[in-house]
Amino acid sequence: MSKDDFDEFVNKLQKDIIDKELKDYNERIVELYHNPINWGQPPEEEITETHAYEGPCGDTMQFFLKIKNNKIEKANFITDGCGATVACGSQTTMLIEGRSLEFAENLKSKDIEKALNGLPEDHKHCAELAKRTLRRLIEKYKYKKN
Ligand code: FES
């Protein structure tokens, strides 16, 4: 197989994968799954609080927040979950960056889902996983502060 044939083969394979994903998820979810914004663990000095939580489906989400004066200056995440879970984690960090802890604490799974233009019925719990992880992180942060 020549290099051109191989490149064509790889491109076709990638396109087939994305076409399949677009049957299951909307474009925004697929885009965030392939290019998740705020993915990854930041350096230690940029983490004020972190929390990992395993949901009932067995997937884990972890958030890392940099908090100053009750404001979330930076939010990152990692997860071992599916495409929808990656999109939910990423969307959550985007929704809370620059916002107050109170705002983040009151974020609902519906808000995450709405920002993603909807989630398939069997993946609505992915937004719930993100919401619960975030709430537990904030509870932990507040408990340590008091
Ligand atoms: Fe379990 Fe996405 S499939 S959180």
Side-chain angles (χ1 to χ4, degrees), residues 55-61 79 81-86 122-123 125-127 129:
C57 69
D59 293 337
T60 301
M61 177 81 73
T79 179
C82 65
T85 318
V86 173
D122 56 342
H123 282 283
H125 71 274
C126 308
L129 175 66

Side-chain angles (χ1 to χ4, degrees), residues 6-71:
F6 181 72
D7 288 348
E8 196 180 312
F9 171 75
V10 171
N11 287 340
K12 164 123 184 27
L13 204 63
Q14 279 173 339
K15 188 179 172 306
D16 289 350
I17 291 169
I18 291 178
D19 285 349
K20 159 90 180 71
E21 288 168 355
L22 285 169
K23 280 190 188 137
D24 298 333
Y25 305 124
N26 68 42
E27 273 180 34
R28 175 149 183 81
I29 295 173
V30 173
E31 170 59 27
L32 278 178
Y33 172 40
H34 287 279
N35 301 295
I37 293 169
N38 296 329
W39 172 272
Q41 177 166 350
E44 212 54 45
E45 62 273 17
E46 286 174 30
I47 305 170
T48 310
E49 191 58 86
T50 181
H51 190 70
Y53 171 71
E54 186 183 323
C57 69
D59 293 337
T60 301
M61 177 81 73
Q62 183 167 8
F63 285 116
F64 307 88
L65 299 189
K66 184 178 179 194
I67 304 164
K68 204 170 173 191
N69 300 328
N70 269 357
K71 190 174 150 197

